[in-house]
Amino acid sequence: MEFRDLKHQYKVLKGDIDNAMFEVAASSAYIMGTPVKALEAELSEYVGAKHCLTCGNGTDALTLALMAWGIGPGDAVFVPDFTFFSSSEVVSFVGATPVFVDVCEETFNIDSSDLEKKIEEVKRDGKFVPKVIIAVDLFGLPANYPELRNIADKFGLLILEDGAQGFGGSINGKRSCSFGDISTTSFFPAKPLGCYGDGGALFTDNDEWAGLLESLRVHGKGTFKYDNVRIGMNSRLDTIQAAILSVKLDAFKKYELDAVNEVAYKYGERLSGVIKTPVVPEGFYSSWAQYTIRLNSKEQRDKLQTSLKEAGIPSMVYYPVPMHSQAVYRESDYNKGDCPVSSKLCDTVLSLPMHPYLKTDEIDMISMTIKNILR
Ligand SMILES: *Cc1c(COP(=O)(O)O)cnc(C)c1O
């Protein structure tokens, strides 16, 4: 059994994907060929954002957003403590200071009340200037943007939506990657919409920022390629990845997103009452980058993972270490280690096999095995 069955997906889409790849190979337009522009148009339409710019990966996308806003030394950026390392790495990379914020136990996403508390704290100390909230759509579930927008407005902060895992999710019909002042996603193969290598994208409604991002992703170009007006980077999506993504986006829209929600529903039917299953608040819709259950203790979680492995069922711990405990951040300024929910989640979460092609008999088998182990 596969944790995320990308081989199965390729078999289903092989004809179209192979054609798309060979067309790019024959065209020789390997960098910024027409499939890139076509994909950007498809993505911005799907997400509901005015501009979409693809780039090299999800980490670069976040970095480019912070660069466009001129975030750097002296600035504070608020980041959930429970996330993939990139979400805060990019803050440090541009020279700003990440301030870790606790998360909600049920949704895994940034906790609005702790966020307000941390913003007040930073303002009181006066050492750093609050600038940006990075909200992560962890495991596919959008963060609570209605609440976050109120806080951002109250304190005059920008929202950067890290939708690396969130593509396809929504709140009351409004899609993920449209909630931030700038939003980003990743096309790393295991994400909800993945390519066959690295890839990423940025979304915004703001014309000025879109123009800046366009320049920043290609060496800070000005009016033409060899006119350099600022320091940028080299971060483009390969044409071949764009061509693959167009085929995969089609399948994602037509049935994969529905299918993965069906899998989540079936897991819920079988596992609720046995362990803590993921909570999707009213009006929210997840793209299920992960299906993550919560156990009562680290011992119980570790034992379950070991027993599942013996039964041939892969599972993963996303994430075992909270940001504030990462070696590189242990000594940092706003690392007070006071994110108890995040620490608890690192000890008790377990992600189960999850993808649109998971069969009902596999879900039955996994659920039954979990019940037997925990009995
Ligand atoms: C995967 C991921 C990223 C980084 O994406 P890459 O394409 O691997 O650089 C950033 N944030 C989160 C939450 C992620 O899961």
Side-chain angles (χ1 to χ4, degrees):
M1 188 183 297
E2 300 273 336
F3 185 71
R4 192 167 187 92
D5 200 345
L6 297 172
K7 280 187 212 136
H8 186 128
Q9 185 195 43
Y10 174 60
K11 267 187 213 147
V12 173
L13 304 175
K14 187 176 186 320
D16 289 341
I17 287 184
D18 288 358
N19 282 341
M21 290 194 292
F22 282 123
E23 265 178 40
V24 175
S27 79
S28 85
Y30 307 129
I31 301 289
M32 291 303 210
T34 48
V36 177
K37 276 273 165 267
L39 176 72
E40 288 176 344
E42 289 160 19
L43 289 170
S44 71
E45 200 214 316
Y46 178 74
V47 160
K50 188 172 174 193
H51 303 280
C52 168
L53 288 106
T54 52
C55 64
N57 56 69
T59 308
D60 282 2
L62 291 166
T63 309
L64 285 163
L66 295 176
M67 286 169 79
W69 287 338
I71 303 301
D75 296 333
V77 177
F78 300 85
V79 184
D81 191 52
F82 187 65
T83 181
F84 180 63
F85 189 60
S86 284
S87 312
S88 91
E89 180 181 33
V90 295
V91 177
S92 308
F93 186 76
V94 299
T97 299
V99 178
F100 301 118
V101 180
D102 212 355
V103 296
C104 301
E105 191 164 351
E106 291 202 325
T107 63
F108 307 114
N109 282 331
I110 195 164
D111 179 333
S112 300
S113 60
D114 195 51
L115 174 62
E116 281 214 48
K117 205 183 105 193
K118 297 277 162 71
I119 297 170
E120 300 277 14
E121 225 173 277
V122 171
K123 286 185 69 170
R124 216 168 30 243
D125 289 0
K127 214 166 142 194
F128 300 100
V129 184
K131 287 280 177 72
V132 177
I133 301 164
I134 296 187
V136 180
D137 304 332
L138 204 72
F139 304 150
L141 182 70
N144 193 332
Y145 291 100
E147 281 181 17
L148 294 175
R149 186 51 73 185
N150 286 337
I151 296 172
D153 289 348
K154 180 173 165 186
F155 293 96
L157 307 181
L158 292 162
I159 296 179
L160 174 53
E161 176 184 2
D162 179 354
Q165 302 182 15
F167 190 86
S170 56
I171 306 175
N172 297 320
K174 184 172 162 55
R175 292 227 165 88
S176 294
C177 300
S178 73
F179 296 112
D181 294 293
I182 297 178
S183 303
T184 64
T185 196
S186 161
F187 303 124
F188 182 83
K191 309 279 172 164
L193 178 66
C195 61
Y196 287 175
D198 280 308
L202 294 123
F203 300 87
T204 185
D205 287 335
N206 184 299
D207 299 340
E208 190 192 332
W209 295 335
L212 271 172
L213 292 168
E214 180 119 43
S215 163
L216 286 166
R217 79 171 161 179
V218 188
H219 308 292
K221 74 177 162 109
T223 48
F224 69 103
K225 198 174 166 185
Y226 300 105
D227 171 32
N228 304 97
V229 296
R230 56 180 64 83
I231 299 301
M233 48 164 111
N234 173 21
S235 186
R236 295 171 292 220
L237 182 71
D238 294 339
T239 308
I240 203 161
Q241 300 299 351
I244 292 164
L245 280 166
S246 280
V247 175
K248 298 234 285 180
L249 177 60
D250 207 41
F252 185 84
K253 290 194 281 196
K254 282 192 181 129
Y255 60 88
E256 282 189 352
L257 184 58
D258 290 337
V260 85
N261 270 276
E262 189 65 25
V263 172
Y265 181 78
K266 286 177 181 164
Y267 265 136
E269 277 184 323
R270 288 155 183 75
L271 291 174
S272 62
V274 180
I275 35 88
K276 291 174 211 120
T277 52
V279 175
V280 178
E282 185 69 36
F284 284 61
Y285 188 76
S286 177
S287 57
W288 299 105
Q290 302 297 340
Y291 189 86
T292 303
I293 60 172
R294 285 172 290 141
L295 286 304
N296 294 325
S297 64
K298 187 169 191 307
E299 294 68 46
Q300 190 188 34
R301 191 269 310 274
D302 292 348
K303 185 175 163 286
L304 177 61
Q305 185 170 37
T306 308
S307 306
L308 284 172
K309 192 174 175 200
E310 283 162 11
I313 299 169
S315 64
M316 304 291 280
V317 175
Y318 296 125
Y319 294 91
V321 184
M323 285 302 119
H324 77 263
S325 300
Q326 291 288 353
V328 67
Y329 286 132
R330 253 175 246 152
E331 308 297 322
S332 103
D333 270 300
Y334 277 97
N335 181 1
K336 306 199 161 76
D338 54 352
C339 293
V341 176
S342 168
S343 300
K344 181 180 170 189
L345 287 172
C346 290
D347 284 343
T348 54
V349 288
L350 191 65
S351 299
L352 303 179
M354 189 62 174
H355 56 85
Y357 303 93
L358 200 63
K359 294 191 203 74
T360 305
D361 58 356
E362 291 176 304
I363 302 167
D364 282 337
M365 196 275 265
I366 295 164
S367 306
M368 194 58 90
T369 309
I370 291 174
K371 284 182 199 171
N372 286 336
I373 294 166
L374 294 179
R375 186 172 291 140

